[in-house]
Amino acid sequence: DLSESPRCRGGCLESEGCDRPDIALPGGQLQQIRAAVKTGIPVVLVLISGGPLDIEEFVDLPGVASILWMGYPGQQGALALGSMLFGESEPSGRLPQTFYRSSYVEQVEITDLRT
């Protein structure tokens, strides 16, 4: 059981040997995003994660100008992110996975590979 690994028990959210318990954003991140949106300044939501997250709340939320998923971008990730945020390059590509809503994940067994 991976949830019993020392890393998971130590509070690690996602790493080798420690799987995420769900696809919700961790800790106070939802509150931070909501607070940023309330400022009235357009928000670019940048997600850096090893897998999909439930971002349903933010997809059509006024104030979220765009959502950018970077996976684990490596040592050049900050430079690439800055280049995109300042309009020096355009993000392109296709997501290698599907971003489901939490409600979908709760309805389907992880071992059911037909869905």
Side-chain angles (χ1 to χ4, degrees), residues 41-102:
I41 299 170
V43 171
V44 176
L45 179 57
V46 179
L47 302 170
I48 299 177
S49 68
L53 299 166
D54 179 10
I55 55 171
E56 176 183 15
E57 177 179 345
F58 307 109
V59 171
D60 296 318
L61 185 66
V64 175
S66 63
I67 300 173
L68 176 64
W69 178 77
M70 293 186 68
Y72 288 135
Q75 65 187 34
Q76 293 296 313
L79 183 62
L81 176 59
S83 177
M84 287 182 277
L85 291 177
F86 286 100
E88 297 167 0
S89 65
E90 295 182 24
S92 62
R94 297 175 189 249
L95 288 173
Q97 58 222 346
T98 300
F99 279 62
Y100 291 103
R101 297 174 174 93
S102 287

